[in-house]
Amino acid sequence: MSKAVRTRFAPSPTGYLHVGGIRTALFAWLLARQAGGQFVLRLEDTDQKREVEGAAQHISDSLRALGLDYDEGPDKPGDYAPYRQSERLDIYKKWAQKLLDSGRAYADPYGNEEVQKFREQAQKEKKAFLYRNFVSEEQRNDTAWNPKAYATGRGGVPLRFKSDPKAYAWHDEVMGEMSTGPEVVDDFVLIKSDGFPTYNFAHIVDDAEMRISHVIRGQEFLASVPNYLNLYEALKLERPILATMPPIMNEQGNKKLSKRDGAKDILDYLREGYLPEALISFIATLGWNDGTEQEIFTTKELIDKFDLDRVQKGGARFDQRRLLWANGHFIRQMELDELYELVSGQRGLKTGERRTESEEGQSFWPAEADEASEAYKKQVLGLVQERMKYFAELPELTRFFFTDLPVDMSLIKNHKKLKKFDTSELKDLLQRTENALETSDFSADDLQAKLNQLLEDTGHKPAVLLSLIRIATTWAPASPGLAETLAVLGKQKTFARLKTSVKALENS
RNA sequence: GGUCCCAUCGUCUAAUGGUUAGGACAUCAGGUUUUCAUCCUGAAAAUAGGGGUUCGAUUCCCCUUGGGAUCACCA
């Protein structure tokens, strides 16, 4: 019988989450959900210096906003609580003692400065730095590590792992068969002088204690795996299934995507009106595909189809344009009522989940739409749905439906057809338009019929007449179809704008 | 420099010995009575290089080149 699937996402609370972290979390979550297992959030806050206030909340907000719900976590205690490493110091102490008892750990005889010198020496010799080359066997047997210094933050001496260097061959669910020689196994620090464990030690202990079945993480840890394998053996722990994710590269493709490269907070995408499901689909296909020609996946499909075997080994670049396309795709698929609620901030971006503070009640409508009725806004939204790539575009797409835009003659002067006409001719055409639409009931169908008649009567091409009317009634660089737009604007606004435009042409 | 990983259109990728090397994003050109977008049609666009193995290599092996990760009391 196979072990129950329990996966974890274990970030350190040092800031926000970007697509890289989210992808790791997503894949771990998918694995748990498809197997009916559990997904655990664990905070690796063992470096007090780097901890950022509010980061923990930010992380859980981000996961929740995307629908990556966790079964156990700092704010959702389960059988293996606590889920914050800073609250698990006793557990690491217990395991450290085991290593001391079995002679597999020792008190670090050197201070920081000395180690730094060793490192420089190794670098000068163009060799990889191996700590164990600088300690004697006698030093490595010094198990008189003072546990009293533990967690006091004062006068502590680091505890080192006494490694047993050997060659390893192991299987990685993504990378396949891996192998390394003994030269990469080293005596790393288990417990720092401040009494906190290192990641290298804490995660091994926690994954075992928490019964984690699959460890999914970025390739920055790949080189350390032999050390971990050595530690598993010393601890007599069964090792979990390992899966190494390829890096997500920046847009230039020359290094791993990072905050420095402008990798955005995933919540910023939500604030700009990207849909959680579009983000999920996009991020999942950054380094994974199901082998078919399907390009867009619902989260449900991902749970069904995701497979570590099909994760790429090489890095993939983050391509903003593809995300934009995916988001537009999801927006077009959406029911108008649902889209309206999201765009109007009537519900959080993630259905059925608690909204995060930052996005609660966020409306994307332009301020000018405040007084407009829901029915009116819905009609407007229906017209721009297929051209909106993300919600933050809504104001520029719809502002003219709610307020009169200033007359901008450059729209006519720069128009390739209209610029050839005298303003008096254009003015005349607008007046004929008024006459033609006077009897319309302002339904889109009837408007279209009247406009067709006008085209016939004036003998002008659509590119001339319809362009002119479109500009004169919106003064926007772009707008939806003319008949639909006028139908939504209504007779009153349409005529008011036509008159304004006639006057403007007279005065120009 | 040591160690490990990777290498198909600009980008994300399919094809795990036999295909005119497929799809999508982006780009360009046409079409859908105006604009922007959608949608449709079409175009251009790739197996890094060199050796093997094989009747036959994108695919297997080796070398070169290129790229990435790592070599912390950070994770």
Side-chain angles (χ1 to χ4, degrees):
Chain A
M1 213 178 89
S2 64
K3 225 163 85 174
V5 172
R6 284 175 58 80
T7 63
R8 45 76 162 175
F9 178 54
S12 61
T14 54
Y16 59 79
L17 250 29
H18 60 71
V19 292
I22 291 293
R23 191 187 58 177
T24 306
L26 170 63
F27 288 178
W29 180 82
L30 289 171
L31 231 42
R33 290 293 167 260
Q34 75 182 187
Q38 290 92 45
F39 177 60
V40 177
L41 173 64
R42 184 176 71 222
L43 292 175
E44 313 237 314
D45 57 344
T46 56
D47 186 349
Q48 302 164 301
K49 296 182 293 296
R50 290 207 314 152
E51 186 153 354
V52 171
E53 177 76 23
Q57 186 62 41
H58 206 89
I59 287 167
S60 52
D61 282 350
S62 299
L63 293 177
R64 265 192 269 252
L66 289 173
L68 305 182
D69 57 313
Y70 44 90
D71 304 293
E72 300 163 29
D75 54 349
K76 203 169 177 185
D79 293 346
Y80 306 96
Y83 294 89
R84 219 180 258 275
Q85 290 185 327
S86 59
E87 295 169 12
R88 301 172 61 80
L89 299 183
D90 286 345
I91 296 169
Y92 309 124
K93 184 177 177 181
K94 187 185 80 187
W95 287 87
Q97 192 57 51
K98 274 193 200 186
L99 287 172
L100 281 164
D101 292 347
S102 59
R104 293 302 302 274
Y106 61 97
D108 192 334
Y110 296 117
N112 241 329
E113 320 74 44
E114 288 157 303
V115 176
Q116 184 55 31
K117 284 208 184 83
F118 299 155
R119 193 174 294 120
E120 282 161 12
Q121 189 182 328
Q123 199 171 15
K124 213 185 298 168
E125 292 169 14
K126 296 209 182 259
K127 279 171 26 186
F129 171 65
L130 274 179
Y131 183 89
R132 60 180 158 84
N133 287 159
F134 297 90
V135 280
S136 68
E137 202 53 26
E138 195 185 337
Q139 289 172 313
R140 294 180 87 215
N141 288 329
D142 175 14
T143 55
W145 181 66
N146 181 10
K148 282 185 189 147
Y150 186 91
T152 64
R154 274 177 306 167
V157 166
L159 183 69
R160 288 241 173 210
F161 177 52
K162 185 184 175 188
S163 62
D164 174 22
K166 58 170 91 162
Y168 279 104
W170 74 97
H171 178 77
D172 184 289
E173 291 295 305
V174 171
M175 293 300 176
E177 302 312 315
M178 306 282 300
S179 60
T180 51
E183 69 280 1
V184 301
V185 178
D186 196 16
D187 292 2
F188 56 90
V189 171
L190 298 166
I191 295 188
K192 300 179 275 185
S193 57
D194 65 0
F196 280 76
T198 58
Y199 164 84
N200 295 328
F201 182 46
H203 91 275
I204 299 280
V205 167
D206 287 337
D207 286 341
E209 290 261 351
M210 296 180 178
R211 306 283 183 271
I212 299 301
S213 61
H214 296 66
V215 170
I216 295 156
R217 62 182 153 208
Q219 72 155 28
E220 62 269 30
F221 297 108
L222 192 54
S224 304
V225 168
N227 280 324
Y228 304 150
L229 297 179
N230 210 246
L231 182 56
Y232 282 123
E233 289 175 9
L235 254 17
K236 297 190 170 41
L237 288 172
E238 191 186 336
R239 69 189 200 222
I241 294 166
L242 303 176
T244 300
M245 310 312 305
I248 294 178
M249 309 298 282
N250 64 16
E251 305 224 34
Q252 296 78 263
N254 56 4
K255 56 180 152 126
K256 207 181 77 167
L257 185 69
S258 69
K259 295 170 189 178
R260 253 188 85 85
D261 289 307
K264 258 200 279 194
D265 179 350
I266 198 76
L267 286 180
D268 280 343
Y269 286 105
L270 264 11
R271 290 186 198 105
E272 287 172 19
Y274 284 85
L275 296 164
E277 206 162 39
L279 285 164
I280 294 285
S281 176
F282 167 74
I283 290 170
T285 53
L286 208 53
W288 173 86
N289 72 85
D290 74 340
T292 72
E293 287 179 354
Q294 186 168 347
E295 308 282 347
I296 295 276
F297 296 85
T298 64
T299 305
K300 218 175 149 198
E301 285 174 318
L302 287 174
I303 292 174
D304 195 40
K305 297 176 177 184
F306 180 73
D307 181 359
L308 284 174
D309 273 353
R310 295 202 64 93
V311 174
Q312 301 290 327
K313 296 182 184 179
R317 282 193 214 188
F318 176 81
D319 184 358
Q320 173 75 29
R321 292 170 301 187
R322 206 176 162 82
L323 169 59
L324 213 51
W325 166 75
N327 203 55
H329 179 89
F330 274 95
I331 288 176
R332 272 172 255 128
Q333 299 283 297
M334 200 167 285
E335 292 295 329
L336 183 58
D337 284 343
E338 190 186 358
L339 182 63
Y340 180 79
E341 286 177 18
L342 290 176
V343 145
S344 308
Q346 291 182 356
R347 74 168 159 183
L349 282 167
K350 178 66 186 94
T351 322
E353 281 287 338
R354 193 194 80 177
R355 286 177 293 215
T356 64
E357 299 299 321
S358 51
E359 68 192 345
E360 185 159 22
Q362 181 176 358
S363 163
F364 291 89
W365 290 105
E368 294 86 343
D370 280 354
E371 302 301 310
S373 72
E374 178 170 321
Y376 185 76
K377 285 194 278 191
K378 245 181 215 180
Q379 286 186 71
V380 170
L381 186 61
L383 294 187
V384 299
Q385 178 171 12
E386 69 183 23
R387 60 204 82 205
M388 184 166 56
K389 298 282 200 263
Y390 58 103
F391 298 169
E393 290 181 321
L394 194 60
E396 63 173 284
L397 251 23
T398 64
R399 186 165 281 116
F400 65 88
F401 279 108
F402 304 103
T403 187
D404 296 342
L405 260 35
V407 169
D408 177 5
M409 282 301 165
S410 70
L411 289 175
I412 287 173
K413 297 274 190 302
N414 296 332
H415 188 103
K416 62 181 188 291
K417 294 274 185 352
L418 294 179
K419 67 180 172 192
K420 292 169 187 156
F421 286 79
D422 288 345
T423 51
S424 63
E425 276 179 281
L426 297 176
K427 192 195 78 175
D428 187 50
L429 280 174
L430 288 183
Q431 279 166 338
R432 292 184 68 175
T433 304
E434 286 185 53
N435 293 336
L437 300 186
E438 190 56 56
T439 57
S440 175
D441 64 7
F442 267 70
S443 66
D445 284 347
D446 186 60
L447 281 164
Q448 192 60 63
K450 295 284 194 295
L451 290 169
N452 285 342
Q453 188 60 48
L454 186 63
L455 282 166
E456 219 171 285
D457 293 347
T458 60
H460 281 300
K461 290 226 160 67
V464 172
L465 184 63
L466 298 188
S467 288
L468 174 65
I469 302 172
R470 193 195 71 73
I471 291 170
T473 52
T474 65
W475 292 104
S479 56
L482 184 54
E484 292 78 14
T485 298
L486 297 185
V488 170
L489 278 174
K491 189 168 185 174
Q492 204 191 338
K493 263 188 212 153
T494 300
F495 274 78
R497 289 184 188 179
L498 283 171
K499 286 187 204 311
T500 304
S501 299
V502 166
K503 278 214 187 79
L505 284 168
E506 275 171 356
N507 300 333
S508 71

